[in-house]
Amino acid sequence: MPLSGNRQFNDTDSRLSKSIRAIGPLFAWWPEYRKSKVGVIGLIMVGIFIFAIILAPYIATHDPTFKDRDFMWKAPSFSHFFGTTAQGKDVFSQLLHSGQISLMIGVAAAGAVTAMGTIIGLIAGYFGGIVDEILTRIADILLVLPRLPLMLVLAAYLGPGMSTIVFVVVILGWTRIARQVRAQVMSCKQHTYVERAKSIGAGNFHIIWNHILPNVAGVVIANFVLECVTVIMLEAGLSFLGFGDPLHQSWGMMLFNAQNEGAFLFGAWWQWLPPGACIAVLGIAFSFIGNTLNDRFVLRLKNIKGGA
Amino acid sequence: MENEQYFEVDHLTKFFPVKKRGQFFGKPIYVHAVDDVQFTVRKGKTYGVVGESGCGKTTLARMIMHLEKPTSGRMLFKGQDITLFNGKQMKALRRQMQMVFQDPFGSLNPVRTIRNIVAEPVRVHHIFQNRQDEKIKVQEMLETVGLSSSDEMLEKRPGQLSGGERQRVGIASALILGAEFIVADEPVSMLDASIRADIIALMMKLKEEKNLTYFFITHEFGMARAICDRIAVMYAGKMVEVADAASIVDHPLHPYTQLLIDAIPPLIPDPNWGKNISEGEVPYFTVPPPGCRYHPRCSRADELCKSEIPELVDYRDGHFAACHHV
Amino acid sequence: MNWKWLIRRLGFMLMVLAVAVILNFLIPRLMPGSAKQAYAGKLPEAVQVKIIARFGLDKSIWEQFVLYIQNTLKGDLGMSFSNHPNSVTYMIGNALPWTLFLLLTATIITVPLGYVFGVIAGWRAGSKTDTGIQIGSLSLLATPLFWIAMVLLYVFSAQLGWFPLRGAETAYSGYTGLKWVGDVLWHAVLPVLALMTLFGAYEMIMRNTMVTTLRENYIITAEAKGASENRVKYKHAARNALLPLITSVGIRFATIVGGSVFVENIFSYPGIGSLIFDAVISYDFPLLQGAFLIFSIVTVVVVFLLDLVYLRLDPRIRY
């Protein structure tokens, strides 16, 4: 699908405006993307979430940290949409504020994982040889080892906190993306225009930046979105186990609190059901988007028929 | 001196190791892609290499452009030994030596604009200080190869051009650095017949205007005869006949050359055409047969041919052939 | 029988095990805090001294390593902090069978489930059925496992009372024989159900391979046969697509192992997952590491067995 672009570059334009306009053709993917109903639904869902979360300070009905002694463990009502926790904190407000943390950490950690995976995949795929063999070997080993227990071992030593969670997720999570990127790079390397660039005298950096990366970008972006799903769940799981940062409540931490405060035994389903549901829904939304991106843009390039 | 050695190749060899699947031990087997090749290209002339697929001519071209490292042998450019040039030295050299590729579809990056593609060499070598000068040069080159230099053209992508136009872009990009030695690897094989003449005419015109030297690879003898000054015929990694174009066609000495000439379809249908052409395909030698490489297909072959490799011998005024039975 | 391939895989598995063992050794020593704390920190004095001696914690790194390997091979993984005087090995030994039971049951059910759904979805690629199944798989996979477990427990156990609230067997019941088996199964339903939601991964892989294989075969033999042959292609293509599925079961096993940590905790199921959970909460390092090691071994064994199955099925690498 040729990306058409009829924009004119005046050479007097600043570099910034040129960079922005260079992204223009990227939006050429919209007509294609729109064809997938599932993908659009996912986008809408994410949009709603982000919207609500950003407006948290304004939409929240109460201060999420305020312990209201009179309202402990009250079922959902008009004043407290999702009821209150054992300590009297409003669940709805907590949801909104914690959402900020969950989303931020999720996207940031996913970004870190994607970056690391892309770099490693790029190096392994482009330079090949023994570097490639070693990296692939490591990735294979990490693939077989049980990931969560290993993460827990590491996390136990590092103690709770956001940095622990991010570190642990990144150091074991890069393998999937690295594999995909490596495969894409290796197929890209075969193209004649790469040979041509070499015959012109282009250095490795120039070739990677100008010829390989544009072709790899699609894979990276699709995988980044899919990675968000995994990371959000992992963060929730790790927080649930107690590795979260009490000062920065995420949805996972809400679940952790729910378990600790005995909400389950007490039957206060409103304390643990909503946060989990949010995690699920956001995860589903991202996975719809990621799946559509994967189907339409990555697999299509390889002529595999997509589905949803 | 006009005719001094411009580009020389001496005992150039390239063996590719071939591993059988899962084979860890034992001696590796080698494919003799280019085997002890020798030639001299003179400035301002077109040197043609003719051969069928698999004879090693593309490997030869790639070695010249330093995209492959020779297993042994030397290459000299303007008297200087460039065989072992490292990246940095090569980079300087590439301003004088450029390649035109066979595939107009694959050799241009589909996501880049024509302007970026043609400008790429000058960007890599940091020729211009600002984009304006660069743009002027790009437009100049596009006009030189017979393409429009409008802004609209500059912003197009390869997918929007025809095969012939793409190849012109390739040529423009090869010439933008002012290179005078052009390696052309079957530049028109993948183009439609009607376009070929245009591109060849363009290349010849450019040669005159800019005093270029071509190293022209092709599998079509007729084309080589039309545009080359000197022709080398390659078979299974070895040069079997080297001579001036007229001489090689009028008096072909090697049986393979004869075969290639006979295989050119006549313009006037001849019922006898195609009858005496021998069978077989160009082999892909791992362990080359002893003696002359061509003997399995040769009508003149005898015991001598099976045991001794014929050397390139000058039979008449620079007309070389490697055959025991000329 | 292709021995070369087998030996290479075996070598790889051993390498993975070696890495797990080495990691287990290195991590406590590289992390903040000393190795002594890691092995003996919260134990009473007298026991501390014994542990330090057994693992040579005040000797050089090399001596420690040697002792570590020796101890591991003997089966001595240290003393659990929270449960001493029980050794780690003892506790894991008790818990392992339960976990294996859950994991294997879940895997045995999810793989065919994923296979069937994947074949259906792939066969009708692009249709509403396909889209529906895709949405289902994606959604299940994106939902946090422990939350699903919570929901299941709440709805089917706490509210409806159909299944027990906790444990692998009814405590103090004294059941034996068939009654015991039935009891165990009854307790296992919900946990396995929770683990089963991971079938979506298999379904998607199966579907994608199905789609690619079908396109190839379909086009080639499109003009050849009539409608009844569709059934043959259905089975034939599905069989080809079976191979990548088997590989992915191995890869997914590590995920399901991770999932068991949460599921077992929610259902208070006395498996290794629960052990890990408790160990994490109480920072019981020896138990944590021991469990990791055991999980690694289990995963490696399972993956290797799957490799053998793969070898049997794939005629290409057989000879």
Side-chain angles (χ1 to χ4, degrees), chain A residues 188-219:
Chain A
C188 191
K189 232 183 15 159
Q190 311 286 11
H191 284 138
T192 317
Y193 54 78
V194 172
E195 277 249 302
R196 187 179 145 268
K198 285 192 192 163
S199 77
I200 290 174
N204 285 328
F205 180 74
H206 173 101
I207 294 181
I208 292 179
W209 185 255
N210 287 299
H211 295 285
I212 307 237
L213 273 186
N215 283 298
V216 151
V219 170

Side-chain angles (χ1 to χ4, degrees), chain A residues 32 180 291-308, chain C residues 125 204-205 207-216:
Chain A
E32 185 67 26
Q180 307 257 44
N291 195 51
T292 311
L293 283 177
N294 208 32
D295 262 357
R296 303 258 151 186
F297 295 99
V298 174
L299 296 184
R300 273 285 173 82
L301 293 177
K302 305 179 192 169
N303 289 321
I304 301 177
K305 184 174 176 191
Chain C
M204 295 217 296
I205 292 179
R207 176 211 174 258
N208 284 333
T209 356
M210 187 73 181
V211 166
T212 9
T213 331
L214 261 185
R215 281 179 91 228
E216 298 166 10

Side-chain angles (χ1 to χ4, degrees), chain A residues 82-85 89-96 254 270-271 274:
Chain A
F82 283 112
T84 56
T85 72
K89 301 183 191 173
D90 176 45
V91 172
F92 178 65
S93 312
Q94 271 199 324
L95 269 185
L96 288 173
M254 286 178 70
W270 53 88
Q271 192 172 353

Side-chain angles (χ1 to χ4, degrees), chain A residues 3-5 7-8 11 18 191-193 195-202 206 210-211 214-215, chain B residues 62 67 91 94 98 101 106-110 112 115 117 120-121 124-125 131-132 155 157 173:
Chain A
L3 300 170
S4 60
R7 57 207 198 293
Q8 298 280 359
D11 293 282
K18 265 193 248 178
H191 284 138
T192 317
Y193 54 78
E195 277 249 302
R196 187 179 145 268
K198 285 192 192 163
S199 77
I200 290 174
H206 173 101
N210 287 299
H211 295 285
N215 283 298
Chain B
R62 298 185 74 221
L67 293 171
K91 192 164 177 186
R94 292 191 197 280
Q98 277 295 313
F101 290 85
S107 62
L108 303 182
N109 190 337
R112 308 194 83 199
R115 176 191 172 159
I117 293 176
E120 191 172 2
V124 167
H125 292 265
R131 288 296 180 93
Q132 196 59 36
E155 294 304 310
R157 297 213 145 80
S173 147

